[in-house]
Amino acid sequence: SDLLTEGWMLLWRDKRLRCLSASSFCFSVVQSCLSAFAVVMLVKDLNFNPIHAGLMLMLVQLAGICGRLFLGWFADATGRSVRALGLSGVIAGLCCLVMPFMEAGWPLTVMCLLFAAFGAAIFSWNGVFHAQLARLAPEGKVSIAIGGIMIWIYGGVLAGPALFAATYGHVGHYTTVFGLLALVAFAGWACTLPARVIDAK
């Protein structure tokens, strides 16, 4: 049992790692919900052809690849890795806020830009986050810290779609539930704020 709890406790004892861990949970919730429900939202709420909806999800994932590369470059170039993580949360939250206002008659170009921005933001945080985790972990404890953070990340992966589906059962519109996800994305951004001291070093 010590092996199971050591990583968790390692992260919890350091305020910076504790805050970043909480942000990883929030970002995982939003990321997993976008992956799981983007296609069904486009089909059910916005009358997309299923093939076109699948292509939109592909655009989200491709934008995520580009976003991850850009965020890594930005973090290296500016030395502000934690602010970069927070920026991902803010952009994802803003994209979520737009979702309830989408209608089937919106221009396809506008929808593509929105989903590309959403994907680039919420799929980009993981690499920079793990780099910071490795940087802040005590010497010789990087693998233990990585193991501990998986509890937070996969907790978000498991909880996100389940909570999304439960909320949809009460709300009845996928776009509305995505709007509520803005609260989670902004919470992830807020959790990065106490850890910004890292950027000053």
Side-chain angles (χ1 to χ4, degrees):
S1 81
D2 289 344
L3 289 175
L4 292 175
T5 59
E6 186 178 0
W8 172 279
M9 294 306 299
L10 176 68
L11 299 174
W12 192 258
R13 284 192 293 263
D14 187 317
K15 181 181 178 180
R16 302 166 303 173
L17 292 174
R18 186 167 66 245
C19 293
L20 290 178
S21 298
S23 72
S24 75
F25 176 85
C26 295
F27 294 157
S28 291
V29 166
V30 180
Q31 181 179 343
S32 61
C33 288
L34 179 59
S35 297
F37 295 103
V39 170
V40 69
M41 176 187 67
L42 289 167
V43 172
K44 292 292 186 181
D45 288 0
L46 299 171
N47 300 322
F48 264 58
N49 178 292
I51 295 176
H52 294 161
L55 291 173
M56 187 70 81
L57 181 59
M58 182 181 73
L59 173 63
V60 167
Q61 294 169 337
L62 289 174
I65 294 171
C66 296
R68 185 170 295 196
L69 293 171
F70 173 79
L71 201 69
W73 170 83
F74 178 83
D76 274 345
T78 64
R80 300 185 176 221
S81 300
V82 178
R83 284 170 174 78
L85 292 173
L87 182 62
S88 295
V90 169
I91 294 174
L94 292 174
C95 291
C96 287
L97 288 177
V98 176
M99 294 287 182
F101 301 99
M102 289 193 305
E103 297 180 355
W106 274 29
L108 181 60
T109 302
V110 174
M111 287 195 178
C112 286
L113 290 173
L114 174 62
F115 277 88
F118 198 177
I122 204 56
F123 280 80
S124 63
W125 63 274
N126 209 290
V128 172
F129 175 84
H130 277 85
Q132 287 304 304
L133 188 67
R135 173 187 170 195
L136 295 172
E139 186 176 355
K141 300 281 188 178
V142 173
S143 61
I144 295 173
I146 295 294
I149 201 60
M150 290 301 119
I151 299 173
W152 293 87
I153 292 176
Y154 284 102
V157 170
L158 290 172
L163 292 172
F164 189 105
T167 305
Y168 172 78
H170 292 285
V171 174
H173 295 282
Y174 292 100
T175 51
T176 303
V177 185
F178 268 105
L180 295 174
L181 271 181
L183 297 174
V184 183
F186 289 135
W189 162 74
C191 287
T192 67
L193 296 180
R196 282 191 173 186
V197 65
I198 301 167
D199 288 347
K201 296 182 178 181

